[in-house]
Amino acid sequence: MTISTMRAARMHDVGKAMQIETLPLPEPGPGEVRVAVHACNVVPNLANVLSNWTTWFPQNPLPTLPAIFGLDPAGVVDAVGPGVDESRIGERVYVNPGRVCTTCRACRDGYPTTCESYAFAGYFGFTPSSPALLDRYSGGLAEYMIAPQYALVGLADDTEFEAAARFGYLGTMYSALHKLDPQPGQTLLVNGISGTLGIGAALLAPQLGVTTIYGTGRDRALLDRVRALCPDRIRTHSLHDGPVEEWIARETDGRGADLYVDALGPGAPHSTFLGGLRSLARGGRAVNIGAIAGEIPIDVHSMMDGQQSLIGSVWFTPAEGQAMSDMAAVGALDLSVLEHRRYPLESVNEAISQVDGSRAGGFANFVVCPTRP
């Protein structure tokens, strides 16, 4: 039976609950596909985006309201637009929310995450020209969505849609590690390793050759669970037991960590981030993916003398997502450690409210399931 409508969760006003509505079924245009959404991750920051974004980060525009949000969808291609091979129908996919113009210098040079109009479909944009992409491509909190085929990441048959819907934060960590280019014998420090972003390092870094992973957090029980993922190579430290730099100095006989990823969120204390920088070895490299907020005083003279570097890394490319999906397909990325908390589309507001209260840290995976396989 041909259908012409779908259910979707839309937000009409900033800070207000989403409403479940019946809307026309979207049709894919040239180079686009339509995806039947089976799972969409509810990221911890979504509540902030929906309630506080226009005040906190007005330079990062939201889609025009009312809008369908939802950052991390996974499902099945059910229709294709002109220029897309019909063989893609039935393909199991994760939809990378990064949207690009395809024509600016960054896009033509192969650096999509620095596109002049870069936007997260179903979330927010990064530049004044982002709204055009945000308004064309809605998010995954709906039974169906439209996406450009460049955003698709193929999934193996045995990769659960709920697990694939977690690719966003896992992929953010993968891209950070990719930029650091870890080599066998090197050590890695991860601030916030027990959180939604940080746990990706515990799952990915051992497979990428890192010899020892040092992870910090606060909850000792959660840190014990993280360490158990790879007990021979992961060491953890609760910040209740002292500053990170003192711990790393003891662990490395004063040498420091070769690599450092900070996965702490906007509300985290600056002292922990700075402690991580002070923990770097000579020649050490650091990447920030947690979006810790505010102006932070950094001793650039010491970084110069130590030949150290600090970069920011936003999200990940579809190519990086495909590499990570391929790792999951052969068992190199173990997604079975995620605990799925499933909600029907009608309970989307409940799902959003529950994320921050989870006691399972990064192990908990909150997903809304608009349709089922």
Side-chain angles (χ1 to χ4, degrees), residues 30 38 40 108 111 123 149 158 227 273 284 292 337 342 356:
H38 291 303
C40 185
R108 288 184 285 116
Y111 299 101
Y123 211 40
Q149 67 170 337
D158 58 355
R227 186 169 60 248
F273 173 85
I292 191 167
V337 304
R342 299 176 177 88
D356 286 340

Side-chain angles (χ1 to χ4, degrees), residues 9-16 18 21 49-51 54 61-69 123 131 134-135:
R10 287 205 300 177
M11 187 177 80
H12 287 251
D13 297 292
V14 172
K16 299 294 181 64
M18 292 186 182
E21 301 175 336
V49 171
L50 299 178
S51 299
T54 53
L62 294 180
T64 302
L65 301 180
I68 302 171
F69 285 80
Y123 211 40
L134 289 171
D135 293 345

Side-chain angles (χ1 to χ4, degrees), residues 116-247:
E116 293 176 4
S117 300
Y118 193 66
F120 283 156
Y123 211 40
F124 61 82
F126 291 83
T127 77
S129 57
S130 295
L133 290 170
L134 289 171
D135 293 345
R136 171 56 187 161
Y137 298 109
S138 58
L141 293 175
E143 291 180 317
Y144 295 88
M145 65 179 295
I146 298 298
Q149 67 170 337
Y150 66 69
L152 302 183
V153 172
L155 302 176
D157 289 341
D158 58 355
T159 298
E160 293 182 295
F161 290 120
E162 292 88 344
R166 182 65 179 271
F167 274 11
Y169 276 22
L170 289 171
T172 297
M173 178 60 75
Y174 179 82
S175 186
L177 295 173
H178 191 200
K179 292 177 175 68
L180 288 173
D181 188 25
Q183 301 297 314
Q186 289 189 319
T187 58
L188 168 70
L189 166 65
V190 182
N191 274 340
I193 198 169
S194 57
T196 308
L197 268 174
I199 198 171
L203 298 174
L204 291 161
Q207 304 299 327
L208 298 177
V210 177
T211 299
T212 305
I213 299 99
Y214 299 106
T216 72
R218 294 190 179 276
D219 189 308
R220 295 184 181 91
L222 279 176
L223 290 171
D224 287 344
R225 289 186 64 183
V226 172
R227 186 169 60 248
L229 295 174
C230 191
D232 294 336
R233 295 164 70 182
I234 297 177
R235 302 176 189 177
T236 57
H237 171 74
S238 171
L239 295 173
H240 293 303
D241 298 326
V244 56
E245 62 266 41
E246 295 179 3
W247 175 60

